[in-house]
Amino acid sequence: MPKRKSLAGATQETAFTVPPIPQPSFDDTAPPPPKRRASQRKVSRPQRKNCCTNPDTNAEVLDGPEALRASPDAYEQDERLDMGKAGVDVHKQIKEEDDDSSLSEMSEVEQPVETKKGKGRSNRKTAPAAKKSAKEDPKKVTAPVQKLKKEAMKEPQFLDPEAEGDEEADEEELQAALSRPPPVNSDYLPLPWKGRLGYACLCTYLRFSNPPVFSSRTCRIASILENRHPLQDPNAPPHATKNRPDKEQPADIARGQAFVESLGKANARDIVKMLRWNDRYGIKFLRLSSEMFPFASHPEYGYKLAPFVSMELAEAGRVAAELGHRLTTHPGQYTQLGSPRKPVIDNALRDLDYHAELLSLLKLPPQQDRDAVMILHLGGVFGDKEATLNRFRENYAKLPQGVKNRLVLENDDVSWSVHELLPLCEELNIPMVLDFHHHNIIFDADNIREGTKDIMDLYPRILATWKRKNITPKMHYSEPTPAAITGRQRRKHNPRVATLPPCPPTMDLMIEAKDKEQAVFELMRVFKLPGYDAFNDMLPHQRGDDNKPIRTPKKKASRKKKTIKNDEDDDDLNALDEAIEDSEPTQRVVPENEIGMGGPEGRVYWPPGMEHWLRPVKKVVKPKELSDPSKQTPAQKKKAAAAAAASTAKEGAKVESEVQTNEVEDEASVATTPTPTGKKGKAGGKGKAAVKASSKKGGAKRVSTPSVFDEGDDGSMQGFDEEDGDGDGDGNDEALVNAKAKINGLPKRRSGRAREFDYAE
């Protein structure tokens, strides 16, 4: 294999251009060749000081998107837990589903790319077809291939690469859905309940505790590359703005790997807290998040879990064994063993090996270790179901025995029904997980009816696939949204479920709902299941099970002692102030093992749609308004003076604007008003109709043009003085106006109507 180039100064784009890793051999006699993973490249492992793994304070730590879903196959954007209602910045704190994952390489997996809106499949192209048309006619597509990948990732991702997108249903599809026979459900309820109820990946109550407890912290590849550089101040803890990695310093692969491993360790440690929380409220079944160790199965940034996290996982397994809890995993939709493309198979093999190592490091007792299974979907059809089944058989035969012991298959809601999957499981000795929600969407209409009644006839065959391997059987249950009509719409999971399926009362039942543990609580309350009386409703926006930081009061200035020695009152007041300052603030301290556990009253339940109850409301401190100005501090006085000055300036600007507006209106009225005539012209000549003789133009004197109606009996102009032309005939009007203005204390001001006009022009 050619030597790999150093990635010390590589960017995120260049990190993917690596030589392909050969497919590992699954021959039990010959062990596979050692992979050159990131964890084996350097012996030295520099550790970051006090690496913060809290996503609320560290912008590089993100929430895994798969853990927020009801199930890994629930890949609709609105099927996640609504973290925005709980006060989380979704765009900054939740990782977008981009092409960072090695299991979602768009160049190898066909996904629907919408060209333009329309009905039918004729208006849709697959990604390879779009790239081919771009090569044939470059003018049609100007965006690069990377942009095509990103646009394709924004489309809904499906198990079947040939399935259509999730556009609105047309009229024919609605009519077909409305005309289908009604489902036939069983009236059997598995009561009294003796099994174990569980949820997937994330506890909503613990996620919003202080500090948050969850096992799906992840990051971006860009964060790994950035953290390969040392901090600006190596002796100080990292900070989002004050102490970030210095990219001018040389990069070290082991330093970036230490950052990823710190997230994995924090996720593994929080499993213990989640198990004890579940046990307190009667939940004994948990699905571990596949995002617990970011990029562990990546071809370039992948790494082995042992030995860096062996101790944390062993502790989690010890607690699970002590409490009798069941732990499972569910690899995502891109882990497909029936794909015709070799890169997809290689990615799936690495992902299954990662999940098997994760479960093995738990060190569970024999029966619990057998029950720790990996649920997998068969995948897409790829145009030929029989050929896909044959490829699955070939790839399954190559798997290590440790993966075969844990692998189970589940019917899906796109391609493979129970009748198609059950014979394969019986042939290869693979346990089968029955998903009631998927079965009501994809089923063999010739042999079975929609609903839960007819599927009960297949229970003996399904349960027999588990008994052959001595594994405790499990089933999945969820419900569609009430507004769903068509098959594609019914794929969406309801936030909570309303009833129990007709399964055996000793079954391990996984509730796949985006409200997670709250959906389990809902069933407990409705059917009075064991543990229903262990929890109560939350108080909105209040938590009594975490230690809030104690704010030390500001020290007050000591009283000035008077010069009089016998003033005993001042001495007593000073002694009292000193005693108050020396006393430490008292607050109820919650023990470490009780933080986030719901308190003595068990207030951990929030009603449907009340996600915002999970996080306390931020207090808004309003400035105090002091009525007495003498009691204001210097800062308050300065602020008040600045506000008064700003208000005065604003009012002055407003007055000036009004004055300018009035002057413009006056000028406009003068231009449109006709010259006064008759007797009124004589009276109006004292300043309104009369104008001054002004500057000369071309040597000529500018005078007002007299009107014929202003002539007197002797032919002279009335109200017109040839000496000064001010309108009164005495030549002293201007001096009189100036004198009056001086007496009144007003500045000399000329009206807008007194402009000089040159009628000769």
Side-chain angles (χ1 to χ4, degrees), residues 238-271:
H239 192 271
T241 56
K242 299 179 181 179
N243 194 20
R244 293 192 58 81
D246 188 2
K247 294 184 179 181
E248 296 180 357
Q249 299 293 330
D252 187 359
I253 294 177
R255 188 180 290 108
Q257 182 64 22
F259 166 73
V260 181
E261 292 179 359
S262 66
L263 300 182
K265 286 185 177 181
N267 291 333
R269 284 192 294 264
D270 283 353
I271 297 177

Side-chain angles (χ1 to χ4, degrees), residues 205-231:
Y205 186 86
L206 288 177
R207 170 58 184 86
F208 291 97
S209 63
N210 188 20
V213 178
F214 65 114
S215 61
S216 56
R217 297 172 181 84
T218 186
C219 65
R220 298 185 177 92
I221 288 181
S223 300
I224 300 176
L225 299 176
E226 185 178 6
N227 280 273
R228 289 179 176 180
H229 301 274
L231 296 174

